[in-house]
Amino acid sequence: MGQTLSFTLKFFGDQLFAKLPETHADLTGRTFLVTGSNTGIGLGLAIHLARLQPAQLILAVRDLKMGEAAKESILRETRFKGSLEVWELDMADFASVMRFAERANRTLKRLDGANLNAGMSSYKWGMTPDGWERILQINALSTGLLAVLLLPLLQATTRLPPPHPDASKTPPHLTITGSASIFLAKFAERSGTQILKTLNDESKSDIMDRYFTSKILSLFITREIANLSQAEGVVVNIVDPGLCSSEIGRDLEFSAFSKSTCFAVFSLA
Ligand SMILES: NC(=O)c1ccc[n+]([C@@H]2O[C@H](COP(=O)([O-])OP(=O)(O)OC[C@H]3O[C@@H](n4cnc5c(N)ncnc54)[C@H](OP(=O)(O)O)[C@@H]3O)[C@@H](O)[C@H]2O)c1
């Protein structure tokens, strides 16, 4: 209870007053990828990275047309001179995740930053063709799978010479977009022994809580990945962007979303 109150106070404090540090690192010669980069936070991140002029920036998107539109807007807004590529990635499809990772491992000479940002929210139950509840698969399972599959390339990058003689020694980063909404999760499904099975059973789990729970699972997955030997030398982190204006609420009835979020914040406080 006390923890939720302090979270609530911090949340509103940060939303209203925090000033984010803006990095201006020189990314010359480096390669980055951002998932879910056709809109929202991912597009904002891709624009920021493009301004820092890496050699290669990959927009990982599930709709190539939307990816091409994002590419045009990035080129319009920045003076990006490197290679800006649009690659297909559907996080609701494990085969697509594996194809994407295989392409990255086969074709990229280095990977300095993988920003696994794609995510969704909904109050409607839906299954992917792989047989998983879609928020669970997109936000947690596929994010973890992609992270594990990209880790060897990120680690191999630690052994490469710097991209140019004056380059900083910044290690490769694996960064997952998390959410402070984990503090609102009830995650009642955790009480049984078969947590994933319960989470995948509509009759036994709470879809209203699913987004929050999926973000807790992302946090647990990130911690496990950070402990792998293949993560040695790689910065593995999970970041909370705060509450941002984006399309994350597109599948939510806004009034229901805001009511339940406010209810969750204030009833727990
Ligand atoms: N906005 C916030 O206040 C907030 C707060 C905390 C954390 N976050 C997290 O920030 C991340 C980005 O969200 P956002 O707010 O920028 O929302 P957004 O505007 O809806 O963007 C979500 C991105 O994820 C992509 N995506 C969704 N399902 C996908 C799939 N199956 N395969 C591949 N890509 C998929 C979307 O692609 P399409 O356009 O093709 O659907 C879109 O590019 C998410 O992980 C979210 O949980 C957001």
Side-chain angles (χ1 to χ4, degrees), residues 148-169:
V148 167
L149 295 175
L150 292 175
L151 208 47
L153 180 58
L154 287 158
Q155 196 181 52
T157 304
T158 65
R159 295 189 287 271
L160 295 176
H164 63 92
D166 300 327
S168 73
K169 292 203 168 60

Side-chain angles (χ1 to χ4, degrees), residues 35-42 60-63 66 89-93 116-120 138-139 177-180 211 215 239-250:
T35 71
S37 41
N38 55 291
T39 187
I41 294 169
V61 297
R62 66 173 158 173
D63 182 325
M66 286 164 80
L89 168 69
D90 184 354
M91 301 285 277
D93 175 1
L116 308 192
N117 161 81
M120 70 160 297
I138 292 167
N139 294 6
T177 309
S179 171
Y211 175 77
K215 290 294 178 179
V239 294
D240 164 38
L243 190 60
C244 308
S245 163
S246 76
E247 293 184 51
I248 195 75
R250 67 181 105 166

Side-chain angles (χ1 to χ4, degrees), residues 31 34-35 48 55 60-61 81 85 108 130 141 152 169 194 206 232 234 236 256:
T31 296
V34 185
T35 71
H48 182 63
V61 297
K81 297 183 191 69
E85 299 166 32
L108 298 181
D130 289 326
L141 304 180
K169 292 203 168 60
Q194 295 186 300
D206 179 5
E232 213 170 294
V234 178
V236 178

Side-chain angles (χ1 to χ4, degrees), residues 197-208:
K197 210 173 165 197
T198 310
L199 282 166
N200 213 32
D201 183 337
E202 186 176 6
S203 67
K204 292 187 182 149
S205 61
D206 179 5
I207 192 67
M208 301 296 276

Side-chain angles (χ1 to χ4, degrees), residues 32-53:
F32 289 82
L33 67 82
V34 185
T35 71
S37 41
N38 55 291
T39 187
I41 294 169
L43 177 59
L45 172 59
I47 289 171
H48 182 63
L49 286 169
R51 290 201 175 109
L52 302 178
Q53 299 295 343

